[in-house]
C-alpha cells in the first residue's frame, strides 16, 4: 500500500561524522528538484524545512580520546527529530528525512517507533553497531543501530520512550561489508539479521531484500527504512564520507527500494551521508533522489 502524502524533513547534522560537509546533504538533494519530482508521482507534499542543528564551530570541542563525540548536541537534535517524525506520522504523512550523518537515524527511527513497534531495514556498508566501549573513532554516526536496539549511552537509547526502540529480531541489516573488530563480535551475539555483501553476491538482491522485508514486517506495525548512500559502490556514489569499495550497484539499490515499495508497510525513510564536498557534480545527491522516488513507488513501466 502506497503512502498518501509526504513530509520532507532536512537534518543538516555533521557532528556525528568524522569528515565535514555532510551537513549540506539536504540542500544538495533538494537542489535536484526533489519536491517537484515527488509531486509528479501524485503525492501531496509538505516541506518542513531543516531542523536547527549546531555547527562544530559553535559546539564545545570533544576532549582528546573522547568516546562519544558531541553526545549532548546530537542527542538534542535527535530528540527534536523524533518529535517531528512522530507528529508527521500522526498527521498521516510518510516522513522522508534528508541527511546529514547517520547519527540522525537515532531520531528518525525513534520517532517512527513511538506508539508502535516497527521493524527496521538498515541498508549500509557499515553496521553502525559500536558503543563507547568498542568504537575506534568516537564518532556517533557509527553507533545508531546499537543504540536503537538498546546498547549504549542512555541519552541515545531512550529517545523512543522505551528501550530498546526496536527489537533486534525485527532488524534486517543489508549490504554490510566493513566492520570494526569488537563491533563484529557484538553483532555476532545480537539477534539482528545480517545480510552481508557475500549474501547479496550469492543470493541476489531480490532474495535478500524480500527476506529483509519479511523480517521487518513480522509482527510489527510497519517498518522504517534507513538508507546510507555508502552502501553503493563509490564508483557510482562518490559523495560519501566513509566510502568502501565493493558495494552494491545503482540498479541493485533501485531494485531493493522498488521491492520495498511494492511490499507496502514503510512508515518512514531516511537518506543519509550525502556529502557534496566529496561528490562529483552532485551525482550522489541526484542518485539519492532517484532512490527516494523508487521507494515511493516510481516504476519503469
Amino acid at each position: 500500500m502506497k503512502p498518501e502524502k509526504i513530509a520532507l524533513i532536512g537534518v543538516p547534522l555533521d557532528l556525528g561524522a568524522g569528515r565535514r560537509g555532510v551537513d549540506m546533504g539536504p540542500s544538495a538533494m533538494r537542489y535536484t528538484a526533489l519536491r517537484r519530482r515527488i509531486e509528479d508521482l501524485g503525492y501531496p507534499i509538505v516541506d518542513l524545512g531543516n531542523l536547527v542543528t549546531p555547527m562544530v564551530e559553535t559546539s564545545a570541542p570533544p576532549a582528546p580520546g573522547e568516546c562519544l563525540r558531541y553526545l549532548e548536541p546530537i542527542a538534542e537534535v535527535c530528540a527534536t527529530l523524533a518529535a517531528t517524525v512522530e507528529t508527521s506520522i500522526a498527521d498521516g504523512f510518510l516522513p522522508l528525512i534528508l541527511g546529514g550523518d547517520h547519527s540522525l537515524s537515532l531520531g528518525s527511527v525513534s520517532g517512527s517507533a513511538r506508539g508502535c513497534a516497527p521493524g527496521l531495514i538498515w541498508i549500509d556498508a557499515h553496521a553502525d553497531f559500536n558503543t563507547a566501549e568498542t568504537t575506534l573513532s568516537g564518532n556517533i554516526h557509527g553507533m545508531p543501530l546499537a543504540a536503537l536496539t538498546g546498547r549504549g549511552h542512555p541519552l541515545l537509547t531512550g529517545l523512543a520512550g522505551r528501550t530498546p526502540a526496536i527489537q533486534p529480531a525485527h532488524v534486517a541489516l543489508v549490504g554490510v561489508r566493513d566492520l570494526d573488530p569488537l563491533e563484529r563480535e557484538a553483532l555476532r551475539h545480537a539477534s539482528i539479521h545480517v545480510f552481508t555483501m557475500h549474501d547479496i553476491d550469492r543470493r541476489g538482491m531480490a532474495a535478500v531484500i524480500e527476506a529483509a522485508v519479511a523480517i521487518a514486517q513480522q509482527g510489527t506495525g510497519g517498518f522504517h527504512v534507513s538508507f546510507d548512500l555508502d552502501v553503493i559502490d563509490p564508483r557510482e556514489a562518490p559523495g560519501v564520507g566513509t566510502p568502501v569499495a565493493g558495494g552494491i550497484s545503482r540498479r541493485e539499490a533501485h531494485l531493493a527500494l522498488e521491492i520495498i515499495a511494492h511490499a507496502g508497510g514503510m512508515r518512514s525513510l531516511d537518506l543519509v551521508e550525502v556529502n557534496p564536498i566529496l561528490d562529483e557534480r552532485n551525482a550522489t545527491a541526484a542518485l539519492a533522489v532517484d532512490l527516494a522516488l523508487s521507494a515511493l513507488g516510481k516504476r519503469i513501466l
Side-chain angles (χ1 to χ4, degrees):
M1 183 175 64
K2 292 177 64 174
E4 295 184 359
K5 51 187 181 178
I6 309 299
L8 286 182
I9 306 167
V11 188
L13 181 66
D14 73 348
L15 295 178
R19 302 180 75 172
R20 304 300 305 278
V22 73
D23 57 316
M24 295 186 285
S27 295
M29 284 184 269
R30 285 192 176 96
Y31 180 75
T32 63
L34 172 61
R35 177 169 185 159
R36 176 187 59 76
R37 295 176 70 193
I38 292 176
E39 289 175 334
D40 287 346
L41 291 179
Y43 291 108
I45 185 170
V46 58
D47 191 338
L48 300 178
N50 287 350
L51 299 188
V52 175
T53 58
M55 297 185 298
V56 168
E57 290 80 4
T58 60
S59 302
E66 174 61 55
C67 294
L68 292 166
R69 295 165 55 86
Y70 301 108
L71 170 63
E72 292 186 0
I74 289 173
E76 290 175 4
V77 170
C78 288
T80 301
L81 177 57
T84 305
V85 168
E86 179 187 20
T87 299
S88 297
I89 292 175
D91 289 342
F93 289 90
L94 184 148
L96 172 53
I97 302 99
L98 311 175
D101 74 66
H102 215 162
S103 63
L104 70 84
S105 293
L106 288 161
S108 58
V109 178
S110 293
S112 186
R114 292 179 179 179
C116 82
L120 175 59
I121 301 176
W122 194 274
I123 305 175
D124 198 336
H126 309 90
D128 296 344
F129 207 65
N130 275 305
T131 63
E133 291 72 35
T134 65
T135 179
L136 299 178
S137 67
N139 294 326
I140 290 178
H141 76 161
M143 304 181 190
L145 186 55
L148 288 165
T149 54
R151 301 173 69 254
H153 195 282
L155 283 180
L156 305 179
T157 60
L159 290 169
R162 65 175 185 273
T163 303
I166 305 287
Q167 292 296 327
H170 295 157
V171 177
L173 171 59
V174 177
V176 66
R177 59 188 184 277
D178 185 22
L179 298 170
D180 294 334
L182 294 178
E183 180 187 33
R184 179 183 291 110
E185 288 304 309
L187 201 57
R188 282 174 175 163
H189 293 93
S191 301
I192 291 172
H193 302 268
V194 182
F195 300 95
T196 68
M197 280 306 303
H198 175 84
D199 297 304
I200 293 172
D201 290 340
R202 291 198 64 180
R203 299 173 57 181
M205 177 59 83
V208 165
I209 206 68
E210 286 168 355
V213 169
I215 290 161
Q217 286 185 323
Q218 184 67 39
T220 67
F223 55 87
H224 176 94
V225 176
S226 186
F227 195 102
D228 188 324
L229 269 292
D230 70 23
V231 74
I232 301 172
D233 193 273
R235 291 174 296 182
E236 297 191 79
V240 297
T242 50
V244 185
I248 68 174
S249 69
R250 172 189 297 261
R251 266 310 314 159
E252 286 174 319
H254 275 290
L255 177 61
L257 292 170
E258 288 162 359
I259 290 172
I260 287 170
H262 180 74
M266 183 174 69
R267 289 171 54 84
S268 45
L269 167 67
D270 59 53
L271 298 164
V272 302
E273 298 288 353
V274 174
N275 190 324
I277 288 179
L278 305 173
D279 209 358
E280 298 173 5
R281 299 186 177 182
N282 215 36
T284 306
L287 175 54
V289 171
D290 288 342
L291 294 172
L293 299 178
S294 287
L296 295 176
K298 182 180 180 181
R299 303 179 68 171
I300 296 172
L301 182 62

